[in-house]
Amino acid sequence: MAEKFLVETSARHVHLTEADIETLFGKGATLTHKKDLSQPGQFACEERVTLVGPKKSIPNVIILGPARGATQVEVSFTDARTLGVTAPVRESGDVAGSGACKIVGPAGEVDIAEGVIVAKRHIHMTPADAERFGVKDKDIVKVALESNGRSTVYGDVVVRVSPKFALAMHIDTDEANAACAFGEFYGEIVK
């Protein structure tokens, strides 16, 4: 029997630069830690923003900390259609030529010319995890998710390896809904 790993749903969220945090929340503002996420050093923040696209807005969008070198918005395809933006499937950080939107906070707003993506489904692994699973960084694998009535095999899953990671697969809300992957859920690599 293949070893299973946690599959987590990564809902829409925003990563912000220090400068954009100050623009959105005021001079000297910093992100307020609300709760730790499964990846070491990553956390959900108390602060929220509104995403504004050509068609509609999505309020109350969570910010993930800590601050980053580039502002990035991660949405599902459903969210992108709601906003009226084109968001390509990309790995986090690969924002060149991606979608545009406005981010609105209580103290100001930021127009990003690029940075809106649909995150490519991926598995975070440590080097020891990768060795155990027989994969390496940037490998593309298939992952089976067994659920009641909607079992799914997802292809095009990128393996991301770093000693800073904790073992977990991330899928967006559209993908989680398609597979009925609710609550504590596990997947396995299909060879």
Side-chain angles (χ1 to χ4, degrees):
M1 184 170 173
E3 184 178 356
K4 295 185 184 264
F5 44 83
L6 185 64
V7 177
E8 298 177 314
T9 303
S10 182
R12 70 179 75 102
H13 61 272
V14 177
H15 299 283
L16 297 170
T17 63
E18 294 281 358
D20 287 348
I21 292 166
E22 285 200 354
T23 299
L24 295 167
F25 297 99
K27 186 106 174 106
T30 58
L31 297 173
T32 308
H33 182 285
K34 180 177 182 177
K35 73 173 188 170
D36 288 327
L37 301 176
S38 66
Q39 295 307 306
Q42 303 293 304
F43 56 92
C45 302
E46 293 285 350
E47 293 80 10
R48 298 289 189 274
V49 293
T50 297
L51 302 179
V52 180
K55 281 176 60 179
K56 291 187 179 175
S57 299
I58 300 176
N60 203 32
V61 177
I62 195 166
I63 299 167
L64 301 187
R68 290 218 179 160
T71 290
Q72 175 176 296
V73 175
E74 294 184 32
V75 295
S76 68
F77 278 121
T78 300
D79 292 335
R81 280 194 301 279
T82 297
L83 291 167
V85 301
T86 300
V89 175
R90 299 276 182 84
E91 284 190 59
S92 183
D94 180 9
V95 298
S98 61
C101 79
K102 181 183 292 185
I103 305 169
V104 178
E109 54 190 50
V110 174
D111 282 299
I112 59 170
E114 62 185 17
V116 182
I117 65 168
V118 173
K120 185 173 183 78
R121 46 187 170 250
H122 57 278
I123 309 169
H124 293 279
M125 291 187 178
T126 65
D129 294 327
E131 188 174 326
R132 197 169 69 250
F133 284 95
V135 295
K136 61 187 183 314
D137 191 46
K138 302 300 183 194
D139 276 357
I140 303 295
V141 299
K142 292 181 180 177
V143 175
L145 284 70
E146 296 292 328
S147 63
N148 189 6
R150 299 210 69 191
S151 294
T152 305
V153 175
Y154 280 120
D156 303 315
V157 180
V158 67
V159 175
R160 298 175 57 193
V161 180
S162 168
K164 297 178 180 178
F165 290 156
L167 180 61
M169 179 177 173
H170 288 163
I171 58 178
D172 69 26
T173 51
D174 288 348
E175 295 164 324
N177 289 338
C180 286
F182 309 126
E184 190 170 299
F185 207 82
Y186 292 87
E188 64 184 67
I189 293 176
V190 178
K191 297 289 181 181

